[in-house]
Amino acid sequence: MGSVASCSCGSEKKQEKERLLRANDRSYNLSFHYAKNAIKTSKYNVFTFLPLNLFEQFTRLANAYFLFLLVLQLIPQISSVPWFTTAVPLLAVLAITAVKDANDDINRHKCDKQVNNRLVNVLVDGHLKKEKWMNVQVGDIVKLESNHFVTADLLLLSSSEPLNLVYVETAELDGETNLKVKQALTVTGEMGDNIEALSTFRGEVRCEPPNNRLDKFKGNLTINGQTYGLDNDKVLLRGCTLRNTEWCFGLVIFGGPDTKLMQNSGKSTFKRTSVDHLMNVLVLCIFGILATLCAIMTIGHSLWEDKEGSVFTVFLPRVPDVDVPLSSFYSFWSYVIVLNTLVPISLYVSVEMIRLGNSFYIDWDRKMYYPKNDTPAQARTTTLNEELGQIKYIFSDKTGTLTQNIMTFNKCSINGKNYGELFDFSGQRVEITEKTQRVDFSWNQLADPNFIFHDYSLLETVKEGNPEARAFFRLLALCHTVMPEEKKEGELNYQAQSPDEGALVTAARNFGFVFRSRTPETITIMEMGRKVTCELLAVLDFNNVRKRMSVIVRSPEGKMTLYCKGADTIIYERLHPSCKKLMDVTTGHLNEYAGDGLRTLVLAYKDLEESYMDGWRQRHHEASTAMEGQEEMLNELYEEIEKDMTLLGATAVEDKLQDGVPQTIEQLAKADIKIWVLTGDKQETAENIGYSCNMLREEMKDVFIVAANTAEGVKEELQNARRKMCPEAAEEPSVIKARAGLFWLQKTETVRDEKVDGDYGLIINGHSLAFALEKDLELELLRTACMCQTVICCRVTPLQKAQVVQLVKKYKQAVTLAIGDGANDVSMIKAAHIGVGISGQEGMQAVLSSDFSFAQFRYLQRLLLVHGRWSYLRMCKFLRYFFYKNFTYTLVHFWYAFFCGFSAQTVYDDWFITLYNTVYTATPVLALGLFDQDVNDRWSFQYPQLYSPGQLNMYFSKKAFVRCMMHSCYSSLILFFIPWAAMHDTVRDDGKDIADYQSFALLAQTCLLVLVSAQVCLDTYYWTALNQLFVWGSLAVYFAVTFTMYSNGMFFIFTSVFPLIGAARNSLSQPNMWLTIFLTSLLCVLPVLAHRFIFMQIRPTITDKVKYKAQMEGQPAPARRLPRPRRISTRRSGYAFSHSQGYGVLVTSKRFLRLKSRSALFTKTDTALVENQPQYYRTITEEPEKSQG
Amino acid sequence: MVKEKKKSPDRPDNTAFTQQRLPAWQPILSAGIVIPGFVLIGLAFIGIGVGLFITSRDIQVLEMDYTGTEASSDCNKCAITNTKNCMCSLDFNISTLFKGPVFFYYGLTNYFQNHRRYGVSRDDSQLYGDLTNFKDPSTDCKPYRVDSNGKPIVPCGAVANSMFNDTFKLYQNVNGQRNLVPFDGKGIAWWTDYNVKFRNPSVEPLKNAFNDTVKPLFWTRAVYELDFSDPSNNGFLNQDFLVWMRRAALPNFRKLYRRITEGDYKEGLPAGNYTLEISYNYPVLRFDGRKKVVFSNVSWMGGKNDFLGIAYLVIGSLCVVMSMVMLIVYAKFKFPEDN
């Protein structure tokens, strides 16, 4: 839909320069005529619907064209066909679209009404009064309560929280699910919830005019002559939700359409499919063909008029004042009218209907329905279906898309003993399933009920008092940066910055080492039910180089210990030599974990001497306050203390993949779809996931890692990779420049795919990617990346995600799909041809901007391999048939012109022309577009290769169109000349005329209809009862309507409207009529059959083969389920921390703790185990990350 | 069931339609169907073709041109002058019995009855006897709507105006005597045209309905006095008029003039010499048209038409040949091998 109506609000007054308003002073504020808080997303009302909607519809080229034709038909000199032949189909098309638009608008009205009628407390005349949202005005003071939606853009005045803070969730605005803090001015905050003070408040606000910048606000507030500056921290935007705040008061600054939310909405870009583009080009071609045909007709006409017409004037005098050139000119337009059906009027409507139908199939598919959270798949955009069958590149997010973003503490190795696996009596490993008995943690009142562990022996070891095991969990409980939240006694909630940490701390909690609370100086834990408060002496923070974090604590007994956890390689270097033996055993375990795709961490500790510690702390203090070289000094200190540690063990956390991810990726790879993972994660994590979801495989020839820090370095690494994969490839990329699109206005640049032997993988990190995406390197990146089977980009920003997609879109001319779940994927989802959102999770932003959504990554294969493929197949068949049917139909007029003096005489009856596209041939082709399938879904899965014709544009292209036109030419020649030859000098069986115009028209149109019905049957693979019904029904309707229209009764009622009275009765009783119909149809159908059969024998396509196999075997053999092979790799999974540096400082900063002491810093989730949140680009980091490894 | 619904209200329905599992027949072009199919169709076509061809061969057609462009023709004298009711004759010989019933047609060539402007130039309401359209004929009839004095033309329009007005009489020459072969002019038009589409105004006498109207410019007699011999064969229901008004689809056409069904000629035209007397009126030379007369009898499949029979034979044979080709292709390539 266009945005015609949305401009209505802005135009009524001149641009606002500045906004002035005064609290509690309605009359003053009203003088500015600011928009009220009512919103209107609907486009029409009862009165404007018809004119506006019609106007909108006629802005579409096709409709405008037919309107133009209608006008032409009203010109008597030109009109070759009565006006209704165009008017009836046009009205039908307009009506269908109007009904759809009306329905959409009614829904929007309902939605608006619901929002506008929400209630909010407004301060009116010193009292709080419930008001509807739409009645709230600029300058009003409203009271919001916890979990309320913010009514309008408000200036925060006061809140229930200390320091006048409020917490808001902005998911609806920007998709970020973490809470944001807003703080009111102290002056206004003092009013608290004192109604009296608030109602006498007369502050004046002067601020910027309405705009769509979410992150900026400029203005000031004047109270009693004092002026205070206002910034974004002091405004609550509409669309946010108030959280963890009992109440707050706000002053309405922008209402309704002026709010930043509304200013941001309604500017969605329309995606069009490649078939759409092709269709536009073809329609343009058809206009060209039409013009050519009409020009030929015009020449014919002038020749005829010159030679024949001039002497035939005895019986057909010329129209006065119309000489040959003028009449030729008229004839051009007359033929435009006659041949207009080359441009099929119902094409666009039918295409929309088919897409809509195919979208419904997606919504209805039970195999894409996720019962766990009751989420069906959803086709949010209903106009992109066939593009799903042409995907060449998939860009996937990792967290939440490939993985569930659930970390589970899975295994651990403590003091050389491996826990977490189950063995039966014979020592065989038992596979852990849902039904396996879980360890019972009920003895521990603080345990997290969602924590699942299966190995009893670990708990027993801990209970027995094994010192290493206890130290192990003590470490996990102490060494982290998690924030606890305990709203009620015993109801602990952890807010971890990375889910890994959450998982580890939760594990410790369940095994009896409960992390309870922290202050900047202390950490309190419950150690097997005993409360222990340790003094936190230092946090040796994590960063990318260190790949470890440590804490130094002093136990109540006064013992000082350093606890350290980190990547195995790093920790191993810093262990005391005495641990050698333990290290070997643990290494074995680590390899095992890595082989299972688990994320590992090694834990170590070191007891510290009081005396040494004093000195160290002193130096630490100096270093942290140093003005210069602070970082180096700290690093040195850390390095010094973190050595000669004692190994405790290792943990293994599972980054749980979603179900069926490896299988899905394998299937998609078989369908020749390239999958690129774009993740914000660290390289190691991403690589690890790459292995566990089968994207990177052991048998790959090489996996290149591009991690250079300079442009030259990146270039060299990319080139080296390329040379290794394809030594013979040219050094310079060959860019093929071409023009395409409407009027060939669009310039395209294409980089060809280059053939590579064997599979390769490419991993590139964010830093390198930034260089690689520069203008001079992007082609190098593209070439190298496209040679690889798998590409993983790590540490990617949302913007880079979109850039990568754009890059492939630009140079590959291939259809791309982006799939993701979070707000950081939005840019990529919008950039790709098709965006898919993972629904049913917390953030809805990705889903809201996506075209399709479903709950699980694995549904992607069904979406593409089944729905996409079918949609593409259907759409292409539909288009081919549709063009065929209209060309065949129209070209008969062309041939007839040579026999009727180029007089624009139609072959068919006017009513046939009117009803041909809208009634007689409308339904069978719709059935083709809605029900056809070459092979069923199970075979589609069995042979993902069936997907490739779509990627190669094989079913519908310019070539196919030309073929289709040639076929039409042949058919129309047959359709005209066979009846001509059969009728031109014969008579009926009672000696009367048969070669009269009406009989001939009837014969030609009957032949045509029988033929196109036969052709649609030929094109249908999948004959459902409905297909049959529509085909036979259409024929039956044709005969019924024809006999009715040509009946006596109709002639009595509308004398001159149906002049073909009796033609049907008189002609269709003639055997040679039927013999001709039969002959014509078979003559058109048999060559097609023979051609198809022979080509199927000589060059069978994959589809032919699978169809044949399906015919022979019925259902495919059930897919073999190979257990996932254990990797025998030495590749150790990396450091598991997926969080960023600088967090330790926050934890120990007093300011931080004071500020956030009560409220949630991060989003809460129901499962404490899972801290389900975006891991990147949060606003928390005080220091931006400086370097990456 | 109810319980399950409550638990997952958004679960899509499990029907064959929504899950795209509608039972369906999926024919594929296998050799076992296509090749025998082609053979069968081919044989059937050959069969039909033979039948049609034989039937068509048995139909007798005698076609004679009488335009009179050649000096040798008797009608030459009429063609070059422009006298009304110029009489000329055409002699011909029938060597074997021309089996009856014999139909007698006149034919015109290069005559564009199918020209759009010609075709629309008529007023069906007027022809339906609607008196309002007598006074005010439809504008479609232009330029034959009103005469130069502004009087409405009835029947109006180019089609009616150009009605064929040659008349024929057929004589058999028996021993120097000319026997008139009786022509039957009844029921030569379509039943629906005679009974439904055309209607005289219900005014008695018919002539009065045509007060204040003029006859078509080209005509010599008004429409209500086309046939003096049979008063009921006048007005719009005149058979010749009806035949003419059913316009031809193609520029070369023939139209039924009379049937020969009566008297001695019930069984057909016996062998012998005949003379066709033509009252030559219709001008065709200006536009290179030809006029001809056709004698023909019919069969179950209508008039003589070799095309259909031949077409069926040819296509039938092609089908058989094609099936051979396909068989060879099939044997040679034999789809499908292993994937």
Side-chain angles (χ1 to χ4, degrees), chain A residues 308 364 366 369 374 874 896 899 903 982 985 987 991 995-998 1022-1023 1052 1059 1066 1072 1075 1082 1108, chain B residues 8-9 12 19-20 22 25 45 105 110 114 116 128 187 190 192 197 246-247 249 254 301 303 305 312 336:
Chain A
E308 308 274 348
W364 287 335
R366 271 167 90 94
Y369 165 81
D374 190 29
R874 287 166 184 170
Y896 188 53
F899 293 83
S903 58
D985 67 344
V987 290
D996 66 296
Y997 170 74
Q998 296 189 343
Y1022 194 76
W1023 287 65
F1052 286 138
N1066 283 306
N1072 57 0
L1075 285 170
L1082 279 182
Y1108 184 81
Chain B
S8 37
Q19 302 307 311
Q20 306 198 59
L22 285 176
W25 176 51
F45 267 46
Y105 302 88
N110 207 26
N114 61 359
R116 178 175 58 86
Y128 190 58
W190 280 19
T192 45
K197 196 174 178 186
R246 179 151 289 279
R247 67 179 178 128
R254 56 173 147 142
M301 57 164 279
N305 183 5
Y312 267 91

Side-chain angles (χ1 to χ4, degrees), chain A residues 447-626:
Chain A
D448 185 330
N450 294 313
F451 182 81
I452 295 164
F453 202 74
H454 298 280
D455 190 355
Y456 257 103
S457 61
L458 181 58
L459 185 59
E460 279 157 18
T461 314
V462 176
K463 279 190 171 170
E464 277 163 15
N466 179 311
E468 283 85 12
R470 292 200 161 198
F472 182 91
F473 286 111
R474 191 176 298 126
L475 187 154
L476 290 183
L478 290 171
C479 176
H480 55 77
T481 56
V482 170
M483 295 290 298
E485 191 190 26
E486 196 167 358
K487 284 212 159 164
K488 267 191 258 160
E489 179 70 23
E491 240 178 62
L492 258 182
N493 230 332
Y494 290 146
Q495 309 209 349
Q497 200 223 6
S498 75
D500 302 59
E501 276 211 319
L504 293 176
V505 179
T506 308
R509 167 178 169 184
N510 278 44
F511 283 100
F513 290 76
V514 187
F515 167 61
R516 199 78 192 262
S517 65
R518 74 155 77 231
T519 69
E521 292 90 19
T522 61
I523 296 175
T524 307
I525 60 171
M526 300 291 285
E527 214 177 295
M528 302 311 281
R530 186 169 59 91
K531 187 169 174 178
V532 179
T533 303
C534 296
E535 195 182 335
L536 181 63
L537 300 176
V539 176
L540 285 59
D541 199 9
F542 162 86
N543 73 25
N544 274 327
V545 185
R546 284 165 40 76
K547 297 189 176 186
R548 61 189 184 270
M549 84 161 280
S550 307
V551 291
I552 302 172
V553 293
R554 193 203 316 256
S555 66
E557 295 85 41
K559 212 171 93 184
M560 281 196 286
T561 321
L562 172 129
Y563 290 111
C564 178
K565 64 179 179 186
D568 45 9
T569 46
I570 305 284
I571 303 274
Y572 270 30
E573 289 166 12
R574 290 168 176 77
L575 290 180
H576 196 266
S578 63
C579 306
K580 185 81 187 70
K581 224 174 138 193
L582 182 57
M583 273 161 72
D584 292 344
V585 182
T586 311
T587 306
H589 292 156
L590 280 171
N591 286 341
E592 210 174 284
Y593 301 157
D596 286 340
L598 302 175
R599 291 151 72 124
T600 57
L601 272 182
V602 171
L603 313 183
Y605 74 99
K606 179 183 176 185
D607 290 324
L608 296 170
E609 299 291 324
E610 183 85 49
S611 52
Y612 171 76
M613 215 24 226
D614 285 343
W616 190 87
R617 284 185 77 185
Q618 184 60 37
R619 281 183 290 150
H620 182 241
H621 181 75
E622 281 164 17
S624 22
T625 50

Side-chain angles (χ1 to χ4, degrees), chain B residues 19-40:
Chain B
Q19 302 307 311
Q20 306 198 59
R21 281 188 274 104
L22 285 176
W25 176 51
Q26 287 174 279
I28 65 170
L29 294 178
S30 65
I33 295 169
V34 175
I35 297 174
F38 265 73
V39 174
L40 280 180

Side-chain angles (χ1 to χ4, degrees), chain A residues 913-929:
Chain A
I913 294 174
T914 313
L915 299 177
Y916 176 72
N917 265 326
T918 41
V919 177
Y920 299 148
T921 60
T923 49
V925 68
L926 273 187
L928 179 74

Side-chain angles (χ1 to χ4, degrees), chain A residues 18 132 183-184 241 417 576 579 654 676 705 723 770 784 810 876 1073 1177:
Chain A
E18 194 181 39
K132 288 178 180 167
Q183 190 174 21
T241 317
K417 192 164 183 307
H576 196 266
C579 306
E654 186 183 357
W676 295 26
I705 295 176
R723 290 190 192 118
T784 312
K810 184 174 168 197
C876 292
M1073 277 274 185
Y1177 308 104

